[in-house]
Short mmCIF file of all heavy atoms in Angstrom, two decimals:
data_model
loop_
_atom_site.label_atom_id
_atom_site.label_comp_id
_atom_site.label_asym_id
_atom_site.label_seq_id
_atom_site.Cartn_x
_atom_site.Cartn_y
_atom_site.Cartn_z
N ALA A 1 110.39 137.76 117.21
CA ALA A 1 109.93 136.43 117.55
C ALA A 1 109.82 136.18 119.03
O ALA A 1 108.86 135.51 119.46
CB ALA A 1 110.94 135.37 117.00
N ALA A 2 110.76 136.71 119.86
CA ALA A 2 110.57 136.62 121.26
C ALA A 2 109.39 137.32 121.82
O ALA A 2 108.89 136.87 122.92
CB ALA A 2 111.89 137.21 121.91
N ARG A 3 108.84 138.36 121.09
CA ARG A 3 107.63 138.95 121.52
C ARG A 3 106.42 138.40 120.90
O ARG A 3 105.24 138.95 121.04
CB ARG A 3 107.69 140.47 121.21
CG ARG A 3 108.85 141.21 121.90
CD ARG A 3 108.68 142.70 121.77
NE ARG A 3 109.86 143.41 122.16
CZ ARG A 3 109.90 144.78 122.29
NH1 ARG A 3 108.79 145.47 122.11
NH2 ARG A 3 111.02 145.39 122.56
N GLY A 4 106.54 137.24 120.23
CA GLY A 4 105.36 136.53 119.75
C GLY A 4 104.98 136.84 118.31
O GLY A 4 103.91 136.37 117.83
N ALA A 5 105.71 137.65 117.64
CA ALA A 5 105.42 138.05 116.27
C ALA A 5 105.72 137.01 115.26
O ALA A 5 106.71 136.18 115.48
CB ALA A 5 106.10 139.38 115.86
N GLN A 6 105.05 136.92 114.13
CA GLN A 6 105.33 135.98 113.05
C GLN A 6 106.41 136.68 112.12
O GLN A 6 106.17 137.81 111.71
CB GLN A 6 104.13 135.61 112.29
CG GLN A 6 103.23 134.69 112.97
CD GLN A 6 102.13 134.15 112.12
OE1 GLN A 6 101.40 134.92 111.48
NE2 GLN A 6 102.00 132.87 111.97
N VAL A 7 107.41 135.98 111.86
CA VAL A 7 108.56 136.55 111.14
C VAL A 7 109.06 135.62 110.10
O VAL A 7 109.06 134.43 110.26
CB VAL A 7 109.69 136.89 112.10
CG1 VAL A 7 110.94 137.50 111.41
CG2 VAL A 7 109.32 137.83 113.25
N GLN A 8 109.58 136.20 108.97
CA GLN A 8 110.33 135.48 108.01
C GLN A 8 111.51 136.35 107.62
O GLN A 8 111.52 137.57 107.62
CB GLN A 8 109.51 135.04 106.81
CG GLN A 8 108.89 136.15 106.05
CD GLN A 8 108.04 135.70 104.81
OE1 GLN A 8 108.17 134.62 104.38
NE2 GLN A 8 107.14 136.55 104.35
N VAL A 9 112.67 135.71 107.18
CA VAL A 9 113.85 136.43 106.85
C VAL A 9 114.35 136.08 105.45
O VAL A 9 114.33 134.88 105.09
CB VAL A 9 115.00 136.09 107.90
CG1 VAL A 9 116.29 136.84 107.52
CG2 VAL A 9 114.56 136.45 109.35
N PHE A 10 114.70 137.14 104.73
CA PHE A 10 115.19 136.90 103.34
C PHE A 10 116.63 137.41 103.21
O PHE A 10 116.84 138.54 103.60
CB PHE A 10 114.27 137.74 102.33
CG PHE A 10 112.93 137.22 102.20
CD1 PHE A 10 111.90 137.62 103.04
CD2 PHE A 10 112.55 136.29 101.21
CE1 PHE A 10 110.61 137.18 102.99
CE2 PHE A 10 111.29 135.81 101.10
CZ PHE A 10 110.24 136.24 101.93
N ASP A 11 117.50 136.58 102.67
CA ASP A 11 118.81 137.02 102.39
C ASP A 11 119.36 136.11 101.23
O ASP A 11 119.44 134.91 101.47
CB ASP A 11 119.75 136.89 103.59
CG ASP A 11 121.12 137.62 103.34
OD1 ASP A 11 121.64 137.49 102.25
OD2 ASP A 11 121.60 138.25 104.37
N PRO A 12 119.65 136.71 100.07
CA PRO A 12 120.09 135.89 98.96
C PRO A 12 121.41 135.19 99.18
O PRO A 12 121.64 134.09 98.66
CB PRO A 12 120.36 136.94 97.86
CG PRO A 12 119.49 138.16 98.22
CD PRO A 12 119.47 138.12 99.69
N ALA A 13 122.17 135.62 100.13
CA ALA A 13 123.43 134.89 100.51
C ALA A 13 123.21 133.72 101.40
O ALA A 13 124.08 132.97 101.71
CB ALA A 13 124.45 135.89 101.16
N GLY A 14 121.98 133.58 101.93
CA GLY A 14 121.77 132.43 102.86
C GLY A 14 122.21 132.59 104.28
O GLY A 14 122.10 133.66 104.77
N ARG A 15 122.83 131.56 104.76
CA ARG A 15 123.31 131.58 106.14
C ARG A 15 124.38 132.66 106.36
O ARG A 15 125.08 133.01 105.42
CB ARG A 15 123.80 130.21 106.54
CG ARG A 15 122.72 129.13 106.47
CD ARG A 15 123.34 127.78 106.86
NE ARG A 15 123.76 127.73 108.31
CZ ARG A 15 122.88 127.52 109.30
NH1 ARG A 15 121.63 127.26 109.09
NH2 ARG A 15 123.37 127.55 110.50
N PRO A 16 124.61 133.02 107.63
CA PRO A 16 125.75 134.00 107.86
C PRO A 16 127.06 133.43 107.40
O PRO A 16 127.34 132.25 107.53
CB PRO A 16 125.68 134.16 109.39
CG PRO A 16 124.30 133.79 109.76
CD PRO A 16 123.87 132.75 108.79
N GLY A 17 127.87 134.31 106.86
CA GLY A 17 129.21 133.92 106.36
C GLY A 17 130.08 135.13 106.03
O GLY A 17 129.77 136.24 106.41
N ARG A 18 131.12 134.86 105.23
CA ARG A 18 132.15 135.90 104.95
C ARG A 18 131.48 137.09 104.24
O ARG A 18 132.12 138.20 104.20
CB ARG A 18 133.25 135.26 104.15
CG ARG A 18 134.01 134.12 104.79
CD ARG A 18 134.96 133.43 103.81
NE ARG A 18 135.96 134.36 103.37
CZ ARG A 18 137.16 134.59 104.03
NH1 ARG A 18 137.44 133.97 105.11
NH2 ARG A 18 138.01 135.40 103.48
N HIS A 19 130.40 136.94 103.58
CA HIS A 19 129.74 138.02 102.82
C HIS A 19 129.24 139.07 103.70
O HIS A 19 128.95 140.18 103.31
CB HIS A 19 128.56 137.46 101.96
CG HIS A 19 127.58 136.70 102.79
ND1 HIS A 19 127.73 135.35 103.08
CD2 HIS A 19 126.42 137.08 103.43
CE1 HIS A 19 126.68 134.97 103.83
NE2 HIS A 19 125.92 135.97 104.05
N ALA A 20 128.97 138.78 105.06
CA ALA A 20 128.33 139.70 105.92
C ALA A 20 129.32 140.62 106.68
O ALA A 20 130.37 140.03 107.20
CB ALA A 20 127.50 138.97 107.00
N CYS A 21 129.11 141.86 106.74
CA CYS A 21 130.03 142.78 107.50
C CYS A 21 130.16 142.27 108.88
O CYS A 21 131.33 142.35 109.44
CB CYS A 21 129.39 144.16 107.43
SG CYS A 21 130.27 145.44 108.39
N SER A 22 129.12 141.88 109.50
CA SER A 22 129.19 141.45 110.97
C SER A 22 130.00 140.19 111.22
O SER A 22 130.38 139.87 112.29
CB SER A 22 127.76 141.26 111.52
OG SER A 22 126.91 140.56 110.64
N TRP A 23 130.28 139.44 110.08
CA TRP A 23 131.10 138.25 110.24
C TRP A 23 132.61 138.61 110.62
O TRP A 23 133.25 137.91 111.25
CB TRP A 23 131.18 137.52 108.84
CG TRP A 23 131.76 136.20 108.84
CD1 TRP A 23 133.00 135.83 108.38
CD2 TRP A 23 131.14 135.00 109.34
NE1 TRP A 23 133.16 134.43 108.49
CE2 TRP A 23 132.08 133.90 109.03
CE3 TRP A 23 129.96 134.68 109.83
CZ2 TRP A 23 131.82 132.60 109.37
CZ3 TRP A 23 129.60 133.35 110.20
CH2 TRP A 23 130.55 132.34 109.90
N TRP A 24 132.93 139.91 110.32
CA TRP A 24 134.30 140.37 110.59
C TRP A 24 134.38 141.31 111.76
O TRP A 24 135.40 141.99 111.96
CB TRP A 24 134.82 141.20 109.35
CG TRP A 24 134.81 140.31 108.09
CD1 TRP A 24 133.87 140.29 107.04
CD2 TRP A 24 135.71 139.29 107.68
NE1 TRP A 24 134.19 139.38 106.13
CE2 TRP A 24 135.32 138.70 106.54
CE3 TRP A 24 136.84 138.74 108.35
CZ2 TRP A 24 135.95 137.71 105.92
CZ3 TRP A 24 137.49 137.71 107.70
CH2 TRP A 24 137.09 137.20 106.49
N ALA A 25 133.36 141.31 112.61
CA ALA A 25 133.36 142.22 113.75
C ALA A 25 134.22 141.67 114.89
O ALA A 25 134.57 140.56 114.90
CB ALA A 25 131.92 142.36 114.31
N GLY A 26 134.52 142.60 115.83
CA GLY A 26 135.34 142.16 117.02
C GLY A 26 134.47 141.49 118.01
O GLY A 26 134.91 140.70 118.85
N GLY A 27 133.16 141.88 118.09
CA GLY A 27 132.27 141.30 119.04
C GLY A 27 132.44 141.76 120.50
O GLY A 27 132.00 141.20 121.46
N MET A 28 133.03 143.00 120.64
CA MET A 28 133.25 143.54 121.96
C MET A 28 131.98 144.31 122.40
O MET A 28 131.48 145.19 121.78
CB MET A 28 134.41 144.49 122.01
CG MET A 28 135.80 143.79 121.72
SD MET A 28 137.17 144.99 121.65
CE MET A 28 136.76 145.91 120.22
N LEU A 29 131.51 143.95 123.62
CA LEU A 29 130.30 144.60 124.23
C LEU A 29 130.95 145.55 125.26
O LEU A 29 130.94 145.21 126.46
CB LEU A 29 129.44 143.46 124.83
CG LEU A 29 129.01 142.38 123.89
CD1 LEU A 29 128.14 141.39 124.58
CD2 LEU A 29 128.29 142.97 122.63
N ALA A 30 131.47 146.66 124.73
CA ALA A 30 132.33 147.54 125.53
C ALA A 30 131.81 148.96 125.49
O ALA A 30 132.43 149.88 124.96
CB ALA A 30 133.76 147.45 125.01
N PRO A 31 130.67 149.23 126.12
CA PRO A 31 130.08 150.54 126.04
C PRO A 31 130.88 151.67 126.64
O PRO A 31 130.94 152.77 126.15
CB PRO A 31 128.76 150.47 126.75
CG PRO A 31 128.88 149.34 127.68
CD PRO A 31 129.83 148.31 126.90
N TYR A 32 131.61 151.38 127.75
CA TYR A 32 132.48 152.39 128.39
C TYR A 32 133.66 152.75 127.55
O TYR A 32 134.01 153.96 127.46
CB TYR A 32 132.85 151.80 129.88
CG TYR A 32 131.74 151.69 130.70
CD1 TYR A 32 131.19 150.45 131.05
CD2 TYR A 32 131.19 152.79 131.37
CE1 TYR A 32 130.14 150.29 131.83
CE2 TYR A 32 130.13 152.66 132.30
CZ TYR A 32 129.60 151.36 132.47
OH TYR A 32 128.56 151.25 133.31
N CYS A 33 134.23 151.79 126.92
CA CYS A 33 135.49 152.04 126.11
C CYS A 33 135.05 152.79 124.86
O CYS A 33 135.76 153.75 124.46
CB CYS A 33 136.19 150.70 125.72
SG CYS A 33 137.15 150.04 127.09
N GLU A 34 133.93 152.37 124.28
CA GLU A 34 133.53 153.08 123.04
C GLU A 34 133.09 154.49 123.30
O GLU A 34 133.22 155.34 122.47
CB GLU A 34 132.28 152.26 122.52
CG GLU A 34 132.65 150.94 121.84
CD GLU A 34 133.65 151.11 120.63
OE1 GLU A 34 133.40 151.95 119.75
OE2 GLU A 34 134.68 150.47 120.68
N PHE A 35 132.70 154.79 124.57
CA PHE A 35 132.23 156.18 124.89
C PHE A 35 133.43 157.19 124.83
O PHE A 35 133.22 158.35 124.70
CB PHE A 35 131.65 156.20 126.30
CG PHE A 35 131.15 157.48 126.77
CD1 PHE A 35 130.25 158.13 125.95
CD2 PHE A 35 131.50 158.06 127.96
CE1 PHE A 35 129.67 159.40 126.34
CE2 PHE A 35 130.97 159.33 128.39
CZ PHE A 35 130.04 159.92 127.58
N GLU A 36 134.68 156.64 124.76
CA GLU A 36 135.81 157.57 124.63
C GLU A 36 135.67 158.40 123.36
O GLU A 36 136.13 159.52 123.38
CB GLU A 36 137.12 156.72 124.57
CG GLU A 36 138.36 157.55 124.65
CD GLU A 36 138.96 157.85 123.24
OE1 GLU A 36 138.64 157.12 122.30
OE2 GLU A 36 139.73 158.81 123.20
N ASN A 37 135.15 157.91 122.25
CA ASN A 37 135.04 158.73 121.07
C ASN A 37 133.70 158.57 120.41
O ASN A 37 133.58 158.64 119.15
CB ASN A 37 136.13 158.42 120.14
CG ASN A 37 136.15 156.98 119.61
OD1 ASN A 37 135.35 156.19 120.03
ND2 ASN A 37 137.09 156.68 118.77
N ALA A 38 132.62 158.27 121.18
CA ALA A 38 131.26 158.04 120.63
C ALA A 38 130.33 158.93 121.36
O ALA A 38 130.64 159.52 122.40
CB ALA A 38 130.90 156.52 120.74
#
């Protein structure tokens, strides 16, 4: 969308919530720490 494309999104579960794996994430933007074993 930021690049001007037309987009639509489908998800039977609707809005983000407990059903999504990413709902339970830590949210750390830590590339240097992750590099220890990545």
Side-chain angles (χ1 to χ4, degrees):
R3 298 194 193 188
Q6 289 189 306
V7 179
Q8 58 182 342
V9 179
F10 293 86
D11 194 317
R15 298 179 65 86
R18 298 172 64 89
H19 56 273
C21 176
S22 43
W23 192 255
W24 302 103
M28 294 178 295
L29 307 177
Y32 294 100
C33 285
E34 288 298 307
F35 185 51
E36 187 265 340
N37 61 0

